[in-house]
Amino acid sequence: CYITLTVNGSGFYRDLRIVLVLKLFRCRIIYHFHNRGVENAGRLSINRPLYRFTFRNTKSILLSSHLYSDIKRYVDEKDVYYCANGIPLNSLEEAKKPVRNGEDVCKLLFFSNMMMQKGVYVLLDACKILKYKGVKFECHFVGAWSDISEDEFMQEVEKSGLQQDVFAHGGQYGTGKSKFFYDSDIFIFPTYNETFGLVNLEAMQFSLPVISTTEGGILDVVNDGVTGFLVPLRNVTALARKIEVLIDDAALRHKMGEAGRERFYTNFTAEKFEERLVNILKDSAKAK
């Protein structure tokens, strides 16, 4: 039985009832995790025996080996499979226009929910540094408003004197979403709470160099120095430095973007994901 188990909170207790029934009937179980939180929730003494029961004599699928530490206390690594995510192909990326030259203003893109933990203000602070140094750019923030409101964000933009450089567009979907990737030169995702970061795959499909963080499964997606750059979490100075490197070097942007696109097609399409998952399920079904 294949279960996408919720790892903590009320969702875990709900799913635990299903696990109990399956174990009563001696079903073989494989969990597929798209989130994390076992390590933190396991600090509550009431949860530890529940996790031991849940994971006993089961298999687990994680998005990345970098996420194994979350369940390490309860699961031997021999009982873990790793299956990176993939996304469907986007037809618009085939029409990706050539990289802009040094005379054009470089367009930076952030695409995610407007949340603190996605690194919204980390990127905004990096933009302040670039502005102070006289670097020319446009930075477009695209995503639904969440724990950061539009008024709060625009107040910070105005306070920083970035009204002519930073723009917020709210949530965008479908072709509207794709057009932002199509029209951009660099993708920036300075998240500090992530399991995988599918949005980086979308950027790579559009031949954009990616600047992201050393967080979760992102380490398996962005090849640091080849398809983009990885920076430490919440490190504004390092982020600004890498953005400036790419703004100043159109040829490097193009080279990294093409390498990212090739990496996407080789590893992260929906078809590649399905192939990995099917092979894991076949293997786990044969395992003793």
Side-chain angles (χ1 to χ4, degrees), residues 150-210:
E150 183 174 6
D151 287 343
E152 289 170 340
F153 181 76
M154 296 313 299
Q155 285 173 15
E156 288 297 320
V157 169
E158 187 174 349
K159 190 188 303 181
S160 304
L162 291 167
Q163 301 94 314
Q164 304 303 314
D165 312 283
V166 171
F167 309 92
H169 303 274
Q172 299 288 327
Y173 310 95
T175 55
K177 171 183 177 178
S178 298
K179 193 173 186 305
F180 274 100
F181 284 102
Y182 176 83
D183 286 337
S184 299
D185 300 301
I186 304 169
F187 183 73
I188 306 167
F189 188 48
T191 178
Y192 46 88
N193 185 13
E194 206 73 31
T195 52
F196 193 79
L198 285 174
V199 70
N200 286 330
L201 301 184
E202 296 182 83
M204 289 162 63
Q205 184 180 183
F206 277 88
S207 302
L208 296 180
V210 174

Side-chain angles (χ1 to χ4, degrees), residues 12-154:
F12 170 67
Y13 303 127
R14 177 200 63 215
D15 290 352
L16 188 59
R17 293 178 295 176
I18 300 172
V19 173
L20 176 60
V21 172
L22 293 172
K23 291 201 172 214
L24 285 172
F25 283 90
R26 299 183 181 278
C27 294
R28 297 167 66 186
I29 299 172
I30 185 166
Y31 302 118
H32 193 173
F33 294 102
H34 296 278
N35 52 8
R36 62 180 173 183
V38 172
E39 185 177 18
N40 286 335
R43 291 171 183 163
L44 295 175
S45 58
I46 191 175
N47 284 335
R48 287 195 286 271
L50 298 180
Y51 282 132
R52 284 194 291 270
F53 169 79
T54 299
F55 285 110
R56 187 178 299 123
N57 299 322
T58 65
K59 303 290 186 181
S60 295
I61 304 171
L62 300 178
L63 299 174
S64 165
S65 60
H66 299 287
L67 301 171
Y68 173 60
S69 60
D70 191 52
I71 62 172
K72 184 177 181 179
R73 181 170 184 173
Y74 307 98
V75 185
D76 192 300
E77 195 163 13
K78 68 178 176 58
D79 294 320
V80 178
Y81 296 93
Y82 299 109
C83 183
N85 274 331
I87 60 172
L89 301 180
N90 189 312
S91 59
L92 185 59
E93 63 86 21
E94 294 293 343
K96 183 76 173 80
K97 60 188 174 186
V99 67
R100 269 179 270 273
N101 60 42
E103 298 177 357
D104 296 311
V105 175
C106 192
K107 292 187 177 182
L108 318 178
L109 176 65
F110 168 94
F111 201 114
S112 185
N113 289 330
M114 296 293 281
M115 302 172 65
M116 294 284 291
Q117 64 185 12
K118 301 300 182 181
V120 170
Y121 286 138
V122 176
L123 177 53
L124 192 62
D125 286 342
C127 288
K128 293 180 193 176
I129 294 175
L130 297 173
K131 177 77 170 182
Y132 179 78
K133 295 180 70 174
V135 178
K136 295 187 182 301
F137 66 92
E138 288 181 11
C139 188
H140 296 267
F141 286 80
V142 183
W145 301 104
S146 184
D147 59 6
I148 298 174
S149 71
E150 183 174 6
D151 287 343
E152 289 170 340
F153 181 76
M154 296 313 299

Side-chain angles (χ1 to χ4, degrees), residues 252-267:
L252 181 60
R253 292 201 304 269
H254 180 72
K255 181 180 178 181
M256 286 185 161
E258 288 303 305
R261 185 171 183 271
E262 182 179 351
R263 184 170 173 79
F264 164 76
Y265 273 98
T266 302
N267 299 290

